[in-house]
Amino acid sequence: MANRTDYHGDDAWEGFVNRSRDLPTPHLLVNLDIVRDNHRKLGENFPFARIYYAVKANPATQVIRLIDRLGSCFDIASIHELDRVLEQGVDPGRVSFGNTIKKASDIALAWSKGVRMFATDCLSDLENIARHAPGSKVYVRILVDGSDTADWPLSRKFGCHPDKAVQLHVKAVELGLDPYGISFHVGSQQRDISQWMSAIWKVRDVFDELAAKGIRLRMINMGGGFPARYCGKTPPLSVYAFRIRGYLEHAFGVGSIPEIILEPGRSMVAESGILASEVIMVARKNVDDPHRWAYIDAGKFNGLIETLDESIKYPIVAGSSPEQESEVEPFILAGPTCDSMDVLYEKQPYSLPRGLASGDRLYWLSTGAYTTSYASVEFNGFPPIPAHFFGEEIA
């Protein structure tokens, strides 16, 4: 069981619990003041970079409005996210279509609405951009390592070999597009900072090969990957920033770093959210079973999909009294649906109060990212998990 004070002070915690108390579970509570603070910290640590918030992490209008007011740009994965962003009054010139997998009709629609920057990683997509978004800036996503050290890997499906990136930029010039730069993503919740070093040197090689062909790239999109606070320690953001800047200066030279774009999602919003759930029942599978099972009303299909393969290990706080929490034992945690996949933590059971019983609440910390946006619409009839917001944007 997590030590709550490692994540939230008394005032912040009281604010969460007081707002949660009379709401039916499961629900998500998001403190927008924490989003604002995370945005500030990222800007302070990476003053040389532009922030493009990854809308997919939490596409709530309250979050979009706050990020817009703070002056950042937006990375979208679909025309539906584009509509959500534009409905909040965001200038389409501050939007990047960062998904390399997109229909030709979606490219055309995004261009018609003012988007002028697109990611790509293959010839057919590049040709669609040239046909339906003429003259746009394009940046090519390359394959990088990092799958072994990221909690949520993003390799293989996206990106191309650096040699292919060179070919695509040459073709982009022939097609009348603006060869803008290179992007990469070392994996979400990346704990090994050295993964950025190897990726940056791959980018430098692409820059050099294209410069020899007379094509000058201007931008590096380093994606996201900066960690949120879940279970297990990670270096502070300041250490990531110090070392990444060092890698950039070593590769490109002090004073010669290209334009840098960051696409934070998880690191921006995860810690702002607490998911409140209720224990439905507690059971043992047999009399000798060393673990009890706790079935709760939130599961893989209504908020906690990132427990898949136990990849993201959320800190959990029981809503019981300190006296009840004095003795703990391991529990296997499972969701409410009639699907055997809906088991959250079994390989690594969680220590929870021995007296845990039906009706008790469990609070899942750092759930502001990829919870409501991943939830199913109506699997087993369970509705999407509702979200409630408070803090600066609401005031």
Side-chain angles (χ1 to χ4, degrees):
M1 186 168 58
N3 183 352
R4 186 267 299 170
T5 57
D6 289 341
Y7 298 87
H8 295 284
D10 291 341
D11 290 343
W13 182 252
E14 184 177 352
F16 275 115
V17 172
N18 286 342
R19 288 173 172 85
S20 173
R21 186 171 289 116
D22 295 327
L23 295 173
T25 60
H27 61 260
L28 178 71
L29 278 168
V30 176
N31 184 346
L32 292 162
D33 291 337
I34 295 175
V35 178
R36 179 204 60 211
D37 290 344
N38 287 341
H39 184 279
R40 175 185 53 79
K41 291 173 186 175
L42 192 66
E44 289 174 349
N45 281 282
F46 290 92
F48 55 90
R50 283 185 295 151
I51 296 173
Y52 277 71
Y53 171 62
V55 176
K56 58 184 173 289
N58 189 323
T61 56
Q62 294 90 338
V63 173
I64 292 171
R65 286 198 299 267
L66 175 58
I67 298 295
D68 179 41
R69 195 171 71 217
L70 294 172
S72 284
C73 303
F74 295 85
D75 166 66
I76 61 161
S78 70
I79 55 171
H80 309 289
E81 286 188 347
L82 174 61
D83 288 341
R84 179 73 65 91
V85 168
L86 296 184
E87 286 167 0
Q88 305 312 309
V90 173
D91 180 349
R94 291 166 52 210
V95 175
S96 168
F97 205 140
N99 192 349
T100 59
I101 305 166
K102 48 196 178 293
K103 297 177 181 179
S105 58
D106 292 347
I107 295 170
L109 184 58
W111 190 82
S112 73
K113 294 185 177 185
V115 176
R116 295 294 183 265
M117 185 161 68
F118 297 84
T120 190
D121 65 1
C122 72
L123 180 58
S124 61
D125 181 65
L126 185 70
E127 290 174 337
N128 281 335
I129 295 171
R131 186 175 301 113
H132 299 287
S136 293
K137 291 180 178 178
V138 289
Y139 57 96
V140 179
R141 181 165 175 170
I142 61 171
L143 287 164
V144 296
D145 300 323
S147 59
D148 293 336
T149 50
D151 289 356
W152 197 265
L154 293 170
S155 59
R156 297 194 64 202
K157 182 179 179 181
F158 307 101
C160 63
H161 190 277
D163 289 347
K164 183 70 172 180
V166 172
Q167 295 173 8
L168 290 173
H169 272 305
V170 171
K171 186 66 175 180
V173 173
E174 296 174 4
L175 294 171
L177 294 167
D178 180 1
Y180 186 35
I182 297 294
S183 73
F184 63 82
H185 201 302
V186 296
S188 190
Q189 198 68 8
Q190 178 59 256
R191 299 172 185 272
D192 180 5
I193 307 176
S194 67
Q195 296 299 332
W196 274 270
M197 177 177 64
S198 58
I200 288 168
W201 277 105
K202 286 183 178 181
V203 172
R204 176 59 199 258
D205 289 342
V206 174
F207 269 59
D208 287 347
E209 285 193 52
L210 285 166
K213 298 177 184 294
I215 300 173
R216 179 180 171 271
L217 299 183
R218 293 138 24 227
M219 183 275 292
I220 304 173
N221 182 332
M222 297 197 296
F226 305 120
R229 288 185 299 169
Y230 296 115
C231 295
K233 293 184 177 180
T234 60
L237 182 63
S238 59
V239 175
Y240 280 81
F242 176 79
R243 290 183 58 186
I244 289 171
R245 179 157 197 161
Y247 300 150
L248 288 166
E249 291 179 344
H250 190 204
F252 289 91
V254 177
S256 299
I257 297 174
E259 299 173 38
I260 300 296
I261 284 176
L262 303 178
E263 294 176 345
R266 186 186 304 279
S267 63
M268 188 75 77
V269 295
E271 294 165 24
S272 69
I274 293 180
L275 191 155
S277 65
E278 182 179 312
V279 177
I280 299 171
M281 63 184 190
V282 175
R284 290 188 192 273
K285 296 299 183 183
N286 62 63
V287 293
D288 299 318
D289 193 342
H291 300 135
R292 285 195 291 166
W293 288 63
Y295 298 90
I296 66 172
D297 59 0
K300 277 190 167 68
F301 303 102
N302 60 335
L304 298 171
I305 188 61
E306 288 200 317
T307 61
L308 188 67
D309 295 329
E310 304 189 18
S311 297
I312 300 297
K313 297 176 177 60
Y314 294 104
I316 300 175
V317 173
S320 50
S321 66
E323 294 77 17
Q324 291 174 296
E325 295 178 6
S326 59
E327 294 188 4
V328 298
E329 65 177 62
F331 281 81
I332 296 170
L333 293 170
T337 65
C338 294
D339 191 310
S340 59
M341 178 183 168
D342 197 9
V343 177
L344 310 176
Y345 299 116
E346 183 174 12
K347 292 183 292 185
Q348 296 186 8
Y350 270 50
S351 293
L352 295 170
R354 180 170 294 175
L356 193 71
S358 299
D360 288 346
R361 286 198 170 190
L362 295 179
Y363 296 101
W364 299 65
L365 311 189
S366 297
T367 45
Y370 302 110
T371 46
T372 53
S373 59
Y374 255 138
S376 68
V377 174
E378 199 180 338
F379 184 60
N380 277 201
F382 293 102
I385 187 168
H388 306 270
F389 298 81
F390 67 99
E392 177 182 298
E393 173 70 7
I394 304 302

